[in-house]
Structure formats: C-alpha cells, structure tokens
Amino acid sequence: MPNVGRRTSLAMLGMAPLAGRLLAGTPKAELKPNSMSSRERTRERYFPNVILRTHQNKKVRFYDDLLKDRIVTINFMYSLCEGVCPGITANLLKVQKLLGDRMGRDIFMYSITLKPEHDTPKVLKQYAKMHAVGPGWLFLTGQPEDIELLRRKLGFTDPDPARDKDKSNHIGNVRYGNEALQLWAACPGLADARWIAESIYWVDWPKKKG
C-alpha cells in the first residue's frame, strides 16, 4: 500500500462518517440484527441487483457480478458530455495506471451512463476505445429506470430538484469502496490522481491474516 500522506489521512477521517451514513438512514423497522447482517442490509438498501450491459455488450447484475467481494470505483457520465465527464475520464485513466496490475484482478472501475437512451453498448465501446481504457474498467448502460434507481441509491443526486434534473449538472464525484469490508467513501473525480489511488488502497486495509 502506498505511504499514507496528509491528504490521504484527511480522506480516511472523512470515510467513517460517510460509511456510517449508509446504515444511519435505514428505518428501524428494516433493521433485523437477528436475521440479516449489516452487509446484507447495506446490499438490500443501497445496491439494487439490476441488470446492466457492459460496453462489451455483456449482461451483468450490478451486485452479484460487479460489486460482490470486490474493491470498486463508481462514477456517472455520458458519452456526449461537454462538462466534467472528459476531465474525470482522463483523471481516472491516471488512477488506472497508478493501480497497475491490480486493475481487473481485484480492483475494478465502473462508469455508468446517465443517458442510456443514447449510450448503447456500441457507443460506450467506441468511447472506451477512444480513451484507451485498460482491463478492469467497464462502461455500463441499462434500462433508464434502473440507471435512475442506481443513481439515487448510490447518492449521486443534487438537493436542488432543478439542477438534479439537468444531466449537464450531474455530480462529478467518484464513489469507491470495498464491498466485503463495507468501507465506502467518495471524492471529487477531478482530485489529484495519486490521492484517489491512495484512498482506494486504504479501503483494502486491514488485511486479513493467514
């Protein structure tokens, strides 16, 4: 794991409150400690197992195939975006290189389109090729109602309804986490690539012994 610097320390301090909010908003009626683990509650409330299509035109389920037991990053974008999307994609390319051979092995990146009506697997494949993305990074599309469900469940919303409705004003954050350890946080997609990579490594700690 890279050396933990000041900026990473700040990210670590911010991680616990954010992760805590995943369960803090769960109604008491839904908390069933005797029948459901905290991991299962988190999955049920925040990770709908909707069907998506990759830019390779492969059908996948969001939780079962993409999140379970993995370290991941998640962001929202669309191919014709003239706002933050190109800059974030370029920045995540730097992150991908910093993560090295762990990409596609136990760390995965997912970019979900906000405009599935236009961004078919074919369009996203061209987008991925244009940006020369490497293994372990998938661009995803699906049914509009499923994409919207994911966007809201994962917290990529604006409190202002008017701004939230305008896709060009979409949230430019990247959510990252370790599903098995239930460590989740987020950072600006245009943050320093080295800081993002260090933060991703941090959710892979502590390592299991043996």
Side-chain angles (χ1 to χ4, degrees):
M1 184 175 75
N3 293 330
V4 178
R6 179 177 178 274
R7 297 177 77 180
T8 304
S9 298
L10 292 174
M12 288 153 46
L13 289 172
M15 185 188 304
L18 184 65
R21 283 200 294 272
L22 282 176
L23 289 178
T26 305
K28 291 182 179 180
E30 294 184 21
L31 297 178
K32 302 175 182 178
N34 294 327
S35 60
M36 190 179 292
S37 69
S38 63
R39 183 181 179 187
E40 289 172 329
R41 294 198 300 271
T42 300
R43 178 193 65 199
E44 184 178 79
R45 186 163 175 80
Y46 296 99
F47 305 138
N49 203 24
V50 297
I51 294 175
L52 301 173
R53 286 271 177 185
T54 73
H55 69 274
Q56 301 156 339
N57 202 24
K58 179 182 178 182
K59 184 170 73 172
V60 292
R61 289 194 173 274
F62 182 67
Y63 179 80
D64 288 346
D65 301 323
L66 302 181
L67 292 194
K68 188 176 181 181
D69 296 325
R70 290 182 170 185
I71 300 168
V72 303
T73 73
I74 303 169
N75 73 295
F76 282 81
M77 47 67 72
Y78 56 98
S79 63
L80 298 180
C81 175
E82 295 180 351
V84 297
C85 301
I88 292 175
T89 298
N91 201 39
L92 289 178
L93 281 167
K94 297 177 183 177
V95 175
Q96 184 179 48
K97 291 179 181 178
L98 288 168
L99 295 175
D101 62 5
R102 294 193 64 180
M103 276 296 303
R105 178 165 56 87
D106 61 346
I107 300 178
F108 299 82
M109 301 172 76
Y110 304 129
S111 295
I112 306 171
T113 180
L114 287 167
K115 295 190 175 182
E117 301 90 342
H118 175 269
D119 289 343
T120 62
K122 182 178 179 180
V123 170
L124 292 178
K125 184 177 181 179
Q126 293 172 341
Y127 187 86
K129 182 178 180 180
M130 178 176 67
H131 290 280
V133 303
W137 187 349
L138 295 177
F139 290 81
L140 300 155
T141 189
Q143 294 298 316
E145 61 272 20
D146 291 335
I147 298 294
E148 180 63 9
L149 178 63
L150 282 176
R151 186 179 76 89
R152 293 192 173 280
K153 288 287 188 178
L154 294 171
F156 285 83
T157 57
D158 193 295
D160 182 336
R163 286 185 59 84
D164 190 60
K165 189 176 181 180
D166 185 352
K167 296 294 194 297
S168 65
N169 290 323
H170 73 89
I171 303 294
N173 286 344
V174 173
R175 187 170 293 287
Y176 59 93
N178 184 320
E179 189 279 327
L181 295 182
Q182 300 182 76
L183 293 176
W184 293 95
C187 64
L190 293 176
D192 186 283
R194 292 168 297 179
W195 176 45
I196 296 176
E198 287 178 357
S199 299
I200 294 168
Y201 276 119
W202 179 250
V203 298
D204 193 27
W205 185 89
K207 290 284 192 181
K208 292 182 179 180
K209 296 181 178 180

